Amino acid sequence: MQQRLKEILERALKEIRECREVAQLEKSRVKYLGKKGELTVFLRGMGDLSPEERPAMGRLVNEAKEEVETLLAAQRERVLQLEKERRLKEEEVDITVPGKRFTRGKRHPLTKTLDEIKNIFMGLGFTVVEGPEVEYAYYNFTALNIPENHPARDVQDTFYINEDILLRTHTSPNQVRVMEKTKPPIRIIVPGRVYRADDVDATHSPVFHQIEGLVVDEGITLGDLKGTFDLFVKKLYGEHMETKFRPSHFPFTEPSAEIDATCFVCSGAGCRVCKDTGWIELSGAGMVHPEVLERCGIDTTKYSGFAFGMGLDRLTMLKYGIDDLRLLFENDIRFLKQF
Ligand code: DAH
C-alpha cells in the first residue's frame, strides 16, 4: 500500500511540475485532491486496513496530500510569473523604432483662390450662391439674349444632354435664375464648374471653373463695376495692380467690356506672358442688358445692374505662376504639396 501511495505521489508531483498553465494546475488538483481524486479515494480505501496500521498510513497520506497542495501553490506562483514575463516580452514596445509619418492634407490651389475671392466679395456685401451644372438651354442661352444661330450653341462647343438640356457653358445662367426670384438689391457671386467641348491642352480643358458676379440696384453704373472690380483685383493680387476696360461684345451686356489687369510677371513693362502689352485679360463684364432684366421682371426704369464672369483656373494660374492648366486637374501630389 505504501508503495502505491509513493507511486501516486511521485506521479502527481511530476505532473504538477510540468504544468505551464493555471488551467492545467486546476486539472491536476482535481485529479489528485478532488472528491474523486486519487489521493482522496486512497484515503477512503484505508477502511480496509487494520486499526493498528491505520494511524501510520493516515499520516503518510495526509503528508502526501500536503506535499501535493504545497507544490500546487508554488507551481501556481511560478506559472503566473512565467505568464507575466511572456506577456511583458510580447507587448514590449521598441521605442527606438522610427515613428510613422503622417502627411498633412492641403487645400487645392483652386479652392484657396476661390476662398480668397469669396472672402473679398463677402466683405463687400455679396452673397455666394450656386446653380445647377446641368442646365436648360433657355437659361444658358435664350434668357441671356444669345441668338439661335450663335456659334456658342453649336454641338461642337456645347455638351448637350438633349435639345433643351445641356452642361452649362458658363455661370451666367445664374444671373437669370437669381433675378427671376430675387428683388433688387442683388449682390451675388456664383462660383462653379462649366463645360465646353474643348480638347485638353495647356490652356484648355472640357471642364473648368468660372465665377459670375451680378449687382442690380437703383442707379448702378459702369463706374460701380470699375470701382468694384478694381478693388477686388487690388485685394487679390496687391495694391500695385491697375485695371482697365477694353470694349467688347456679349449678348447679355450693353455696353460690354473685357477687364484687363497689370501683368503679374513684368508689372506692365511687357513680356511673353502679356504678349508685350503689359496687360492681361481677367474678366468679361458689362452692364446687364435691359432685355435680360425685363425678361426677369425687373423694372428697368428703376433698376440697372452690372455683371462680370471670370475664369477661376486662369486667376489661380496667374496668382501662383502655374503655366499649365492640366496641373490643376491631375491631382499629382507632388504638385499639390507646394500650396
Ligand atoms: N459668360 C461669359 C463667358 O463665359 C463671361 C461673361 C462676360 C460674363 C460678360 C458676364 C459678363 O457676366 O457680363 O465667356
Side-chain angles (χ1 to χ4, degrees):
M1 229 182 148
Q2 267 194 33
Q3 188 52 40
R4 262 205 56 218
L5 180 62
K6 201 174 159 216
E7 184 261 319
I8 296 174
L9 180 62
E10 269 166 16
R11 189 151 45 79
L13 295 181
K14 180 164 181 280
E15 232 176 85
I16 292 167
R17 268 190 221 103
E18 281 167 5
C19 283
R20 291 288 172 271
E21 281 170 28
V22 176
Q24 282 175 331
L25 281 171
E26 179 57 16
K27 261 193 200 151
S28 296
R29 192 190 62 77
V30 173
K31 184 170 169 193
Y32 294 101
L33 304 177
K35 259 196 207 150
K36 293 175 189 165
E38 291 189 37
L39 286 173
T40 318
V41 171
F42 192 91
L43 196 61
R44 261 190 238 125
M46 278 179 22
D48 301 340
L49 292 179
S50 66
E52 300 81 52
E53 285 172 311
R54 234 178 272 165
M57 198 59 201
R59 203 178 325 112
L60 280 179
V61 180
N62 279 329
E63 275 170 17
K65 280 178 75 174
E66 251 169 52
E67 205 172 329
V68 170
E69 268 162 15
T70 314
L71 182 65
L72 273 171
Q75 187 66 14
R76 192 185 156 80
E77 286 302 307
R78 220 168 291 145
V79 165
L80 287 177
Q81 182 62 27
L82 281 174
E83 212 152 277
K84 192 168 153 192
E85 277 165 21
R86 203 186 60 224
R87 282 218 358 234
L88 280 176
K89 200 165 190 120
E90 251 175 37
E91 292 168 16
E92 196 177 54
V93 175
D94 182 354
I95 57 165
T96 65
V97 171
K100 270 193 197 136
R101 239 175 222 287
F102 289 99
T103 39
R104 232 202 275 171
K106 299 213 174 172
R107 278 182 306 159
H108 193 280
L110 284 175
T111 312
K112 283 180 80 166
T113 312
L114 178 58
D115 284 350
E116 253 183 76
I117 294 173
K118 280 184 189 168
N119 278 335
I120 294 170
F121 279 105
M122 286 192 296
L124 295 173
F126 283 62
T127 310
V128 181
V129 301
E130 290 190 12
E133 289 177 28
V134 179
E135 184 56 284
Y136 290 105
Y138 173 76
Y139 285 110
N140 197 81
F141 296 129
T142 314
L144 291 167
N145 276 352
I146 300 175
E148 288 293 336
N149 58 357
H150 195 281
R153 292 205 183 214
D154 204 286
V155 283
Q156 284 188 335
D157 297 303
T158 301
F159 293 113
Y160 281 90
I161 309 283
N162 62 34
E163 227 173 86
D164 302 321
I165 300 174
L166 43 74
L167 297 183
R168 67 180 178 197
T169 61
H170 52 178
T171 42
S172 301
N174 296 295
Q175 292 187 28
V176 181
R177 284 184 172 274
V178 170
M179 284 192 289
E180 272 183 349
K181 53 178 202 284
T182 322
K183 286 211 176 77
I186 295 169
R187 276 195 293 274
I188 53 153
I189 58 165
V190 190
R193 271 186 217 107
V194 299
Y195 301 84
R196 286 183 202 175
D198 277 326
D199 288 332
V200 174
D201 66 25
T203 53
H204 294 87
S205 162
V207 46
F208 57 104
H209 304 81
Q210 284 190 337
I211 302 170
E212 194 78 13
L214 174 71
V215 171
V216 182
D217 203 349
E218 285 180 48
I220 295 294
T221 68
L222 208 58
D224 295 308
L225 169 60
K226 169 85 179 161
T228 305
F229 210 87
D230 196 69
L231 188 113
F232 158 65
V233 168
K234 284 183 163 63
K235 289 232 183 246
L236 187 63
Y237 292 114
E239 288 297 323
H240 65 286
M241 295 290 286
E242 310 248 4
T243 56
K244 69 167 177 140
F245 283 13
R246 206 161 19 85
S248 185
H249 171 75
F250 299 101
F252 38 93
T253 44
E254 181 57 36
S256 302
E258 296 280 358
I259 306 178
D260 292 349
T262 314
C263 176
F264 303 80
V265 179
C266 62
S267 297
C271 69
R272 210 166 48 101
V273 173
C274 61
K275 300 195 183 84
D276 279 329
T277 61
W279 297 94
I280 43 163
E281 188 187 313
L282 279 195
S283 182
M287 299 304 290
V288 182
H289 200 293
E291 274 181 38
V292 176
L293 292 172
E294 270 157 26
R295 203 174 280 117
C296 300
I298 289 176
D299 180 358
T300 50
T301 60
K302 194 170 172 200
Y303 296 108
S304 55
F306 70 74
F308 56 85
M310 50 193 176
L312 175 62
D313 313 272
R314 187 171 153 76
L315 292 172
T316 304
M317 288 168 75
L318 292 169
K319 188 167 170 62
Y320 294 109
I322 299 164
D323 60 3
D324 193 321
L325 178 64
R326 287 168 287 201
L327 288 165
L328 294 174
F329 296 97
E330 283 165 353
N331 285 333
D332 186 327
I333 208 86
R334 293 166 301 182
F335 169 74
L336 295 177
K337 261 197 338 216
Q338 300 172 40
F339 297 90

